Amino acid sequence: MDRRVAIVTGAARGIGAAVAARLARDGLAVAVLDLTSEACADVVADIRAQGGTAVAIGADVSDTAAVDAAVDRVVAELGPPTVVVNNAGILRDNLLFKMTDDDWDAVLGVHLRGTFLMCRAVQRHQKAAGWGRIVNLSSTSALGNRGQANYAAAKAGVQGFTKTLAIELGKYGITANAIAPGFIATDMTAATAERLGMSVAEFERGVAAVTPVNRIGTPEDVAHTASFLVSEGAGFVSGQVVYVAGGPKD
C-alpha cells in the first residue's frame, strides 16, 4: 500500500505539532498546515530530521478558497490525503455581555467552519481511496465553561458535526471521531492563565489538584490518541468523542 497522506491543521505548535510528529513517526507523510508556511518550518524540519516526510502549508482554514488550494497543493506534493486532523483553533474568551460579534465569528469561523471546509475538501480523496480517517479536535469546554460561550458552542458543534460525518461517510470506509482534551499545557492555556491573573505554574498546579490522574495533560497525550484513531486497528471506531482529560467527563 502506498504511504498514507495526512493533513494536520494548526500544526505549527502545541497539540497540532505533536500530532504531526507522531503521525510522521507512524509512517504517514504529513502536511503541516497553519496560517503561514513559515510558522510550520521548524515542525517540518524536525520531522525530516527524524527521517519522516512532511511539507509546510500556509492557509486560513476559515477561507474556502484557501482550504481548497491547500488541499490541491498537498495532492501535488505528497499525494491524495486520506487522513485529516482538524486542530486549528483560536481563543477569544470573554463573558457573554462583553463578547463582541467579532469574538463570536472568529472562534466559530476557525473551529467549526474550518473543520467543515477541510473535511469537505478531503472527503473526495477519501471516497476515491475507499478509506479515510477524520479526527476533529473538540474540548471538555463543549460541556460548558465560564467565559467561553463562543469556544464551547464551536466545540460542541464539532462533536455533532463529527457524529454526522460518521453516519454519512462510513459506507465509504471513512471513520470520523473527535478528541476532547481537558487541560493540556500549551501556549493557549498559558494565555488563559494570564487572563485569570495567575502564573502558569500556579494555574497548572490548581488544575492538577482536581484532576483524577493528578497531573496536567501534554500535547503528546492527545497525539497518542490521534495515532490510534487514524490507525488500521481503529476501523470499527467511528462517531465517538474521546475525552483525553485525566478523568471521566459527562
Side-chain angles (χ1 to χ4, degrees), residues 176-235:
N177 293 285
I179 298 174
F183 185 96
I184 306 294
T186 66
D187 291 345
M188 287 179 69
T189 52
T192 300
E194 181 179 356
R195 177 175 61 84
L196 295 174
M198 304 170 67
S199 71
V200 173
E202 180 185 11
F203 188 36
E204 290 182 352
R205 284 195 300 269
V207 172
V210 296
T211 301
V213 299
N214 198 36
R215 70 171 176 87
I216 61 172
T218 68
E220 287 70 28
D221 289 319
V222 180
H224 290 315
T225 305
S227 174
F228 166 68
L229 291 174
V230 307
S231 70
E232 292 289 343

Side-chain angles (χ1 to χ4, degrees), residues 60-239:
D60 177 354
V61 297
S62 67
D63 181 88
T64 302
V67 167
D68 290 343
V71 173
D72 287 345
R73 184 178 163 197
V74 173
V75 173
E77 297 192 23
L78 295 177
T82 54
V83 173
V84 60
V85 180
N86 287 295
N87 169 73
I90 60 172
L91 291 177
R92 296 289 186 274
D93 293 352
N94 225 327
L95 295 175
L96 179 62
F97 76 98
K98 295 181 179 179
M99 189 169 289
T100 67
D101 292 357
D102 287 344
D103 291 337
W104 179 271
D105 291 342
V107 170
L108 270 291
V110 173
H111 290 274
L112 195 51
R113 177 182 169 87
T115 297
F116 157 68
L117 291 175
M118 188 60 67
C119 288
R120 187 178 65 180
V122 170
Q123 57 84 32
R124 66 181 184 270
H125 300 291
Q126 296 174 322
K127 285 181 179 177
W131 189 95
R133 297 287 187 265
I134 295 169
V135 178
N136 297 325
L137 269 292
S138 180
S139 169
T140 56
S141 291
L143 303 173
N145 197 30
R146 179 180 172 83
Q148 289 193 318
N150 49 4
Y151 186 75
K155 291 308 193 182
V158 164
Q159 294 188 14
F161 177 66
T162 301
K163 290 176 180 290
T164 300
L165 292 187
I167 294 167
E168 291 188 6
L169 300 177
K171 64 183 178 182
Y172 302 106
I174 302 166
T175 65
N177 293 285
I179 298 174
F183 185 96
I184 306 294
T186 66
D187 291 345
M188 287 179 69
T189 52
T192 300
E194 181 179 356
R195 177 175 61 84
L196 295 174
M198 304 170 67
S199 71
V200 173
E202 180 185 11
F203 188 36
E204 290 182 352
R205 284 195 300 269
V207 172
V210 296
T211 301
V213 299
N214 198 36
R215 70 171 176 87
I216 61 172
T218 68
E220 287 70 28
D221 289 319
V222 180
H224 290 315
T225 305
S227 174
F228 166 68
L229 291 174
V230 307
S231 70
E232 292 289 343
F236 205 56
V237 180
S238 196

